[in-house]
Amino acid sequence: MSKRPASSTARAHSNIALIKYWGKRDAALNLPAVGSISITLDALYTDTRVTFVPGMARDKVEIGGRGVDAARFTRFLDLIRARTGSAQSARVESWNNFPTGAGLASSASGFAALALAGSRAAGLELSPRDLSILARQGSGSAARSVFGGFAQMHRGSTDDGLDACAEPLLEASEWPLDVVVAITEREAKKVDSSAGMSDLDTRSDYFDAWVSHSEDDLAGMRDAIAARDFSTLGELTEYSCLKMHGLMLSTRPGLLYWNAATVAAMHAVRGLREDGVPVYFTIDAGPQVKALCQPADTARVATALQQVPGVLETRTSALGPAAHLLD
Ligand code: 2P0
């Protein structure tokens, strides 16, 4: 038996998908309709402390020192409590080192950190695979933040979700790349990802095509990563991003996450490419533009994006490590 700490603190880093996840095949278990491939970011992370408190009536959750509605977190902590048979409530204290809910994947780092800290505070020592399955039930993208570097999320084929988890592809140090994030808006988005991707099979004529071609995109990206082929990786990244946004736009009313600065930054990235700089964009469920480049070009990419009208600031990140305990 392992020693049972009542409290545990974990750090998990945010990630961005190169091959995108959008759409679910089971909402209750949060099973994705398609697999995805991501990179974990060093510069953006969440620290979360979970403490099980005897006698406390209900879970209490703070993000950045402010109390938040605990309902989504209680549902997640119930998954951990179901494994241990405990009914104890928990205090959750979480800090993001970046703006929350602004398209920078705070749910990915947040639920990966909560899965690790919560399971350890409950006395469980889960394998990375089981941790990824647990994190997925908090947020689909969180399953990938369990791992560092490059990771692939599998859609899985069973109904119980036990094969819907991420696996590591490469460590961060095995292929150093940088991401320059151009922030064009600091407000939280109006349509969250779960709502935006719900029931797509009935809401978009494009959904079947999105799902049926996803395996080809995943295989192409796996090959590009294995070969360290940056231009193929970048082309596939832009392709998957634009295809996902095409899917979003094909619903009623079309879901449009971009603003004018988003589009200007996309053109700036393509302009850099015409000038011979290998850089490619990706955009998630929000208006921020993430430019992917090799470290030798990072300063030039950041300077160019800072000059785009409407870009408020840029943040640069290398690839980051797996989720880990801090105590
Ligand atoms: C991704 N996104 O692959 C895609 C691209 C946003 C756009 O995964 O409902 O917050 O919690 O499973 O993980 C964001 O979706 O959604 C996301 P839920 P999540 O990164």
Side-chain angles (χ1 to χ4, degrees):
M1 284 287 286
S2 62
K3 184 168 169 285
R4 183 184 169 136
S7 180
S8 185
T9 309
R11 174 171 295 179
H13 293 254
S14 169
N15 74 74
I16 55 171
L18 307 180
I19 300 295
K20 301 295 190 190
Y21 150 50
W22 200 251
K24 299 179 194 263
R25 63 185 179 89
D26 181 313
L29 280 172
N30 206 26
L31 300 177
V34 294
S36 51
I37 291 179
S38 63
I39 47 176
T40 298
L41 301 182
D42 192 49
L44 307 179
Y45 58 81
T46 302
D47 289 346
T48 299
R49 176 160 60 226
V50 178
T51 309
F52 284 97
V53 183
M56 195 165 74
R58 65 185 77 84
D59 298 320
K60 290 187 181 151
V61 181
E62 284 184 3
I63 299 177
R66 297 177 61 168
V68 299
D69 181 2
R72 183 176 179 187
F73 301 92
T74 290
R75 280 197 297 279
F76 185 78
L77 290 164
D78 282 345
L79 300 170
I80 295 172
R81 285 185 282 252
R83 287 171 178 244
T84 63
S86 165
Q88 244 170 41
S89 294
R91 186 165 61 238
V92 175
E93 298 153 282
S94 196
W95 303 267
N96 294 320
N97 80 332
F98 59 94
T100 303
L104 294 171
S106 53
S107 71
S109 53
F111 277 98
L114 183 60
L116 179 54
S119 59
R120 287 301 281 256
L124 299 169
E125 287 197 30
L126 301 181
S127 66
R129 179 190 168 95
D130 284 346
L131 203 57
S132 180
I133 290 169
L134 176 62
R136 184 204 76 231
Q137 293 171 81
S139 193
S141 52
R144 303 184 308 235
S145 271
V146 168
F147 300 102
F150 294 75
Q152 178 168 1
M153 174 74 195
H154 297 284
R155 80 185 285 281
S157 55
T158 63
D159 290 340
D160 57 14
L162 293 179
D163 59 352
C165 59
E167 66 161 330
L169 297 178
L170 280 187
E171 296 292 321
S173 60
E174 290 181 278
W175 193 11
L177 296 179
D178 281 344
V179 175
V180 179
V181 183
I183 295 175
T184 66
E185 170 73 66
R186 292 198 187 88
E187 294 289 304
K189 56 196 164 204
K190 295 192 185 79
V191 180
D192 74 22
S193 299
S194 296
M197 70 169 92
S198 66
D199 303 318
L200 278 181
D201 52 337
T202 57
R203 294 198 300 121
S204 172
D205 294 345
Y206 293 180
F207 186 64
D208 289 348
W210 167 253
V211 172
S212 65
H213 293 284
S214 66
E215 293 298 325
D216 296 340
D217 298 344
L218 291 162
M221 184 58 79
R222 277 184 77 110
D223 288 349
I225 291 168
R228 311 290 197 276
D229 178 346
F230 185 67
S231 60
T232 301
L233 175 141
E235 284 162 17
L236 277 172
T237 295
E238 277 194 12
Y239 175 62
S240 179
C241 162
L242 292 173
K243 198 158 58 163
M244 177 187 73
H245 284 273
L247 176 63
M248 293 168 170
L249 290 167
S250 72
T251 57
R252 290 191 197 179
L255 181 54
L256 176 59
Y257 281 114
W258 303 347
N259 59 34
T262 312
V263 177
M266 293 157 75
H267 285 298
V269 166
R270 289 192 163 176
L272 280 165
R273 241 178 19 244
E274 280 164 18
D275 291 343
V277 182
V279 54
Y280 299 85
F281 63 74
T282 189
I283 304 159
D284 293 299
Q288 330 299 3
V289 175
K290 293 116 184 190
L292 196 63
C293 62
Q294 297 168 108
D297 299 315
T298 306
R300 183 164 174 194
V301 170
T303 300
L305 287 175
Q306 280 154 15
Q307 288 165 2
V308 172
V311 169
L312 306 175
E313 62 174 305
T314 61
R315 290 187 72 152
T316 296
S317 182
L319 304 194
H324 53 282
L325 292 168
L326 295 179
D327 62 18

